[in-house]
């Protein structure tokens, strides 16, 4: 799960209005059952991938929008909407030409002006946006299909960032919106079209094959290559996302075809059912963490943050979330267990079982005086909810005034925007997860910057760390990146903006009739999947 940036409540009201249509428009000819796929992925409440970095929103975005470049299965950037591109000899000017056949779902052509506006809007909030903007002299349209990015100095990671982190291309009229205001028309140029007539907020959303989409000729790989759609419609069952048991029963009964996050305690049942299959799509897995609000008491004090580092018993948290699972293990590097820059720098704090006495001592040194600690609890995310309850119990056990604030994931996303103290509606801690593959692609990570109030929730700030991030941009060898990664991790675990809770490489569950799924970290691509006749 992941990540609204601004006024979600207002945005949700606008979305609800935009998706309300006369009931007569809902009467449409249904595709054949073997050409319709029903999935349970999560609770989709925000539709704009600039406004939020939530995985569920990016699932939606990859269906209806397209990107200039896409990360392949090896996490290398490959041209997607771009047909040709080049770089000047001084490495300061990039020229991009769009490929043939690109059109918006409203029938208008994709132009270079659309791309320029989309890049500018994305850069305002992207994790690497500040680094990107600090090197940009100009982004300009040359003709209807060509645009350039001019730099003040070389930016070696540019193509990697464009492929791994977006941006999703939107129509110029949508991309001209402030990054704080949600684009709600849901009109892209991607392989699926959002079916506005069948949209039922809180219940389900439908995505229809874009019959005019022209896929690339390359084989599909990650979110790159040919996005060939082999079904007529994908129905995202939003209503079942909050009730895993009901979703599981629907999968068994054949009422849905795929459950993205099956209940861990029911995996043995799934394995024994010949009509169902478990499949690990994200081989790198998800790294779970708790994030602290560094702006407010008590976690504006580094000692209190360090206390949390010692409090956590990763094995206990993994057990609370996943039970006796073979898909989990502890993690101590901020870059994950097995990426090219994972390392053991400054990880002496890790202790199996945690160290509650050390945590209690550090809270005392921080001057903790009974302030309420509010833990945001997403009740429609079983793993995160269980971890949140265990966290509250662990804090209370050492005398900390911890309080759970239950809501659905959308409510959590809305509240974590707030920077105010808890008595004014703010928060202290929330739990989330991040794809390990993203953490290994350091500059594309949303959660790893420490850029203060310009950064991700919790708003940690460290100038030395950010200087090293800027240096990381132009490192050419893996040895250089590994050396800087160790320095970054040393600073990170001294500051402690978050605490790792463990890693999971859990599978999705699908009907055996559904095949062709593409493995992508944290995303479920809808292209290439196909369904055998019943």
């Amino acid at each position: 799960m992941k990540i609204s940036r601004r006024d979600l409540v207002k945005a949700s009201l606008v979305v609800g209005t935009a998706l309300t249509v006369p009931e007569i428009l809902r009467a449409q000819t249904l595709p054949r059952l073997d050409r319709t796929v029903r999935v349970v992925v999560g609770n989709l409440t925000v539709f704009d991938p600039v406004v939020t970095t939530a995985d569920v929103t990016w699932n939606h975005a990859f269906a209806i929008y397209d990107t200039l470049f896409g990360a392949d299965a090896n996490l290398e950037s490959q041209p997607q909407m771009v047909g040709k591109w080049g770089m000047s000899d001084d490495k300061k000017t990039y020229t991009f030409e769009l490929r043939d056949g690109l059109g918006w779902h409203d029938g208008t052509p994709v132009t270079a002006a659309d791309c320029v506006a989309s890049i500018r809007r994305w850069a305002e909030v992207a994790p690497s946006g500040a680094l990107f903007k600090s090197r940009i002299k100009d982004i300009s349209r040359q003709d209807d299909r060509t645009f350039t990015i001019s730099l003040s100095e070389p930016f070696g990671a540019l193509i990697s960032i464009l492929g791994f982190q977006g941006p999703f291309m939107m129509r110029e009229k949508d991309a001209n919106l402030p990054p704080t205001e949600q684009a709600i028309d849901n009109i892209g140029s991607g392989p699926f079209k959002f079916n506005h007539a069948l949209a039922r907020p809180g219940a389900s959303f439908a995505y229809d094959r874009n019959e005019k989409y022209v896929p690339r000729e390359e084989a599909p790989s990650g979110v790159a290559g040919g996005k060939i759609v082999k079904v007529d419609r994908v129905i995202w069952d939003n209503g079942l996302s909050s009730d895993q048991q009901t979703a599981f029963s629907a999968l068994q009964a054949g009422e849905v075809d795929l459950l993205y996050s099956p209940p861990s305690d029911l995996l043995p049942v799934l394995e024994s059912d010949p009509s169902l299959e478990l499949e690990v799509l994200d081989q790198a897995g998800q790294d779970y963490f708790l994030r602290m609000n560094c702006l407010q008491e008590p976690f504006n004090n580094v000692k209190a943050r360090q206390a949390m580092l010692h409090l956590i018993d990763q094995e206990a948290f993994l057990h609370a979330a996943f039970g006796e699972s073979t898909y989990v293990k502890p993690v101590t590097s901020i870059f994950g267990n097995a990426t090219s820059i994972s390392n053991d720098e400054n990880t002496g704090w890790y202790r199996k079982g945690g160290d509650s006495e050390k945590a209690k001592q550090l809270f005392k040194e921080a001057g903790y005086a009974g302030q309420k600690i509010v833990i945001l609890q997403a009740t429609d995310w079983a793993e995160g909810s269980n971890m949140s309850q265990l966290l509250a119990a662990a804090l209370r056990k050492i005398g900390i005034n911890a309080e759970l604030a239950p809501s659905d994931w959308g409510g959590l996303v809305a509240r974590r925007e707030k920077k105010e103290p808890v008595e004014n509606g703010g928060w202290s801690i929330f739990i989330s997860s991040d794809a390990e593959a993203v953490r290994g692609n350091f500059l594309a990570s949303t959660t790893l910057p420490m850029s203060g109030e310009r950064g991700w929730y919790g708003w940690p700030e460290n100038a030395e760390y950010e200087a090293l991030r800027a240096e990381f941009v132009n490192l050419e060898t893996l040895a250089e990146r590994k050396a800087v990664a160790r320095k970054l991790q040393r600073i990170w675990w001294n500051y402690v903006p978050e605490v790792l809770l463990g890693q999971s490489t859990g599978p999705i569950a699908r009907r055996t009739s559904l095949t062709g799924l593409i493995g992508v970290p944290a995303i479920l691509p809808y292209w290439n999947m196909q369904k055998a006749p019943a």
Side-chain angles (χ1 to χ4, degrees), residues 239-254:
L240 288 177
S241 64
S242 60
D243 188 338
Q244 286 191 315
Q245 181 61 59
T246 303
F248 170 75
S249 298
L251 179 69
Q252 282 192 305

Side-chain angles (χ1 to χ4, degrees), residues 343-508:
N343 65 82
D344 61 358
E345 182 72 21
N346 201 13
T347 56
W349 47 265
Y350 176 75
R351 175 176 170 180
K352 188 173 182 178
D355 189 345
S356 58
E357 287 302 313
K358 178 70 170 178
K360 189 174 182 178
Q361 174 194 333
L362 285 166
F363 267 116
K364 183 177 180 180
E365 292 176 13
Y368 177 74
Q371 301 97 319
K372 183 189 296 183
I373 290 179
V374 172
I375 303 166
L376 304 185
Q377 176 193 13
T379 55
D380 55 350
W381 176 32
E383 293 81 9
S385 180
N386 291 345
M387 285 182 167
S388 298
Q389 292 176 70
L390 178 59
L391 176 60
L395 283 166
R396 291 167 185 156
K397 190 174 181 179
I398 63 169
I400 304 301
N401 180 15
E403 178 181 291
L404 289 166
S407 71
D408 61 13
W409 180 253
L412 184 152
V413 166
R415 187 165 175 178
R416 72 180 178 184
E417 297 275 354
K418 299 180 181 295
K419 298 175 181 177
E420 296 84 359
V422 295
E423 55 267 24
N424 294 333
W427 58 276
S428 307
I429 299 173
F430 71 88
I431 288 173
S432 188
S433 68
D434 203 7
E436 180 162 304
V438 175
R439 292 197 156 213
N441 194 314
F442 172 60
L443 293 174
S445 172
T446 302
T447 58
L448 291 181
M450 285 209 281
S451 52
E453 296 194 42
R454 295 179 291 106
W456 201 60
Y457 313 107
W459 309 286
E461 184 168 12
N462 186 283
E464 181 185 4
Y465 182 94
E466 286 300 297
L468 286 169
R469 278 188 74 237
E471 178 184 327
F472 201 91
V473 168
N474 291 316
L475 298 178
E476 296 184 356
T477 69
L478 179 57
E480 290 175 317
R481 292 193 290 274
K482 284 184 173 181
V484 172
R486 294 187 72 88
K487 295 178 182 178
L488 287 160
Q489 185 163 294
R490 174 182 53 78
I491 296 169
W492 182 272
W493 287 135
N494 285 336
Y495 188 100
V496 199
E498 69 183 28
V499 178
L500 292 169
L501 303 175
Q503 181 196 48
S504 169
T505 54
I508 60 96

Side-chain angles (χ1 to χ4, degrees), residues 198-272:
L198 293 183
R200 294 176 173 85
S204 64
F205 299 107
Y207 300 81
D208 294 339
R209 179 174 63 87
N210 178 9
E211 66 279 0
K212 295 183 179 179
Y213 183 76
V214 179
R216 294 188 66 90
E217 295 180 354
E218 299 90 343
S221 178
V223 293
K227 298 179 179 179
I228 299 174
V229 178
K230 300 179 181 179
V231 297
D232 291 334
R233 178 171 293 167
V234 175
I235 298 176
W236 182 333
D237 199 318
N238 231 31
L240 288 177
S241 64
S242 60
D243 188 338
Q244 286 191 315
Q245 181 61 59
T246 303
F248 170 75
S249 298
L251 179 69
Q252 282 192 305
E255 296 167 3
V256 299
D257 301 291
L258 182 144
L259 183 55
Y260 193 72
S261 299
S264 300
D265 59 338
L266 295 177
L267 293 184
V269 180
L270 289 164
E271 290 174 328
S272 65

Side-chain angles (χ1 to χ4, degrees), residues 130-374:
L131 293 176
F132 180 74
K133 291 196 298 180
S134 70
R135 288 164 170 77
I136 293 297
K137 289 176 62 178
D138 189 35
I139 309 174
S140 57
R141 169 191 175 277
Q142 303 302 305
D143 58 40
D144 281 349
R145 294 180 56 185
T146 309
F147 65 95
T148 59
I149 297 178
S150 300
L151 307 168
S152 58
E153 58 181 292
F155 188 38
L158 178 61
I159 301 302
S160 176
I161 289 172
L162 291 177
F164 205 91
Q165 197 179 313
F168 295 97
M169 294 298 102
M170 297 182 176
R171 298 176 302 174
E172 185 177 15
K173 61 177 288 188
D174 298 320
N176 281 337
L177 291 170
T180 57
E181 182 179 339
Q182 185 173 186
I184 60 172
D185 286 346
N186 290 312
I187 293 176
S189 64
F192 286 87
K193 296 186 293 185
F194 186 82
N195 190 320
H196 292 81
L198 293 183
R200 294 176 173 85
S204 64
F205 299 107
Y207 300 81
D208 294 339
R209 179 174 63 87
N210 178 9
E211 66 279 0
K212 295 183 179 179
Y213 183 76
V214 179
R216 294 188 66 90
E217 295 180 354
E218 299 90 343
S221 178
V223 293
K227 298 179 179 179
I228 299 174
V229 178
K230 300 179 181 179
V231 297
D232 291 334
R233 178 171 293 167
V234 175
I235 298 176
W236 182 333
D237 199 318
N238 231 31
L240 288 177
S241 64
S242 60
D243 188 338
Q244 286 191 315
Q245 181 61 59
T246 303
F248 170 75
S249 298
L251 179 69
Q252 282 192 305
E255 296 167 3
V256 299
D257 301 291
L258 182 144
L259 183 55
Y260 193 72
S261 299
S264 300
D265 59 338
L266 295 177
L267 293 184
V269 180
L270 289 164
E271 290 174 328
S272 65
D273 189 330
S275 66
L276 303 178
E277 188 163 331
L278 298 175
E279 184 175 359
V280 177
L281 295 179
D282 182 2
Q283 296 292 333
Q286 291 276 316
D287 294 331
Y288 290 74
F289 58 86
L290 66 83
R291 191 78 169 190
M292 292 166 284
N293 186 340
C294 299
L295 300 180
Q296 301 294 339
E297 292 185 343
F299 298 118
N300 58 352
N301 187 302
V302 66
K303 293 284 189 180
R305 299 196 299 272
Q306 291 171 349
M308 298 298 296
L309 194 61
H310 292 277
L311 177 68
I312 296 305
D313 173 358
Q314 287 198 28
E315 288 83 355
F317 275 80
L318 289 170
H319 187 270
F322 302 101
E324 295 294 338
S325 174
T326 60
Y327 295 101
V328 301
K329 57 185 171 182
V331 57
T332 58
S333 175
I334 65 173
F335 306 110
N337 275 320
T339 71
S340 63
I341 54 175
S342 299
N343 65 82
D344 61 358
E345 182 72 21
N346 201 13
T347 56
W349 47 265
Y350 176 75
R351 175 176 170 180
K352 188 173 182 178
D355 189 345
S356 58
E357 287 302 313
K358 178 70 170 178
K360 189 174 182 178
Q361 174 194 333
L362 285 166
F363 267 116
K364 183 177 180 180
E365 292 176 13
Y368 177 74
Q371 301 97 319
K372 183 189 296 183
I373 290 179
V374 172

